[in-house]
Amino acid sequence: MTTVIMRTTARAIVPIVLVVAISLFVEGHNLPGGGFIGGVLTVTAFGIVYMAFGLDFLERGVLGREVDPGKGPSRDRVVLAYRRLFAYGFAIAVASGLAPLVFDRPFLTQTFVMLEGVPIYDHLEVASALAFDFGVYCVVVGGLLTILSVVGAE
């Protein structure tokens, strides 16, 4: 059972943590940050939601699944979703690394495109490394949320 203070604080902090995570993820190929730290911050936000509201809220509110209030939360379904995210992220990271080989370039070679007039950033360099970062992000989020759910079930 959590307090009103914890739930109120979670409602205020989680969006801020997620915005910082997205910002670090987008800027990560050029500045400190990237998929790993963005994923860790995302898992931190999920952990705060899990502590403040419980796993049922996570299933209903975030994953959009129906939860029977009479039963305990279906950790198997949640863990399966997180493991699937881990596998998809791993596949994306490997595919983004292998893609340059199709064009006779070395493994993990990157290219970029400059986008001008982007709101907040003004100009944004979108690199092919963003796909690799996204794969790493999914691996980190999927793996750490799996660990958090399994350990939290104990």
Side-chain angles (χ1 to χ4, degrees), residues 17 19 34 38 46 50 69 76 100-101 126:
V17 172
V19 167
F46 272 78
Y50 177 65
D76 294 335
L101 296 176
V126 179

Side-chain angles (χ1 to χ4, degrees), residues 11 19 30 33-34 41 44 77 122 137 144:
R11 285 189 182 111
V19 167
N30 231 7
L41 282 175
T44 302
R77 289 192 315 172
D122 186 39
Y137 176 86
L144 289 179

Side-chain angles (χ1 to χ4, degrees), residues 70-150:
K71 292 183 176 179
S74 174
R75 290 181 185 2
D76 294 335
R77 289 192 315 172
V78 173
V79 170
L80 183 63
Y82 297 152
R83 286 181 180 167
R84 197 174 310 125
L85 179 64
F86 179 91
Y88 290 154
F90 186 74
I92 290 169
V94 169
S96 70
L98 294 175
L101 296 176
V102 174
F103 303 104
D104 291 329
R105 306 291 296 165
F107 181 70
L108 281 177
T109 300
Q110 72 170 346
T111 186
F112 66 92
V113 174
M114 292 296 290
L115 300 177
E116 299 292 332
V118 177
I120 300 179
Y121 292 103
D122 186 39
H123 65 281
L124 184 65
E125 179 183 316
V126 179
S128 59
L130 191 62
F132 180 77
D133 277 344
F134 182 68
V136 170
Y137 176 86
C138 290
V139 165
V140 169
V141 170
L144 289 179
L145 284 178
T146 299
I147 292 168
L148 185 66
S149 295
V150 170

Side-chain angles (χ1 to χ4, degrees), residues 38-51:
V40 169
L41 282 175
T42 301
V43 171
T44 302
F46 272 78
I48 292 169
V49 169
Y50 177 65
M51 287 188 311

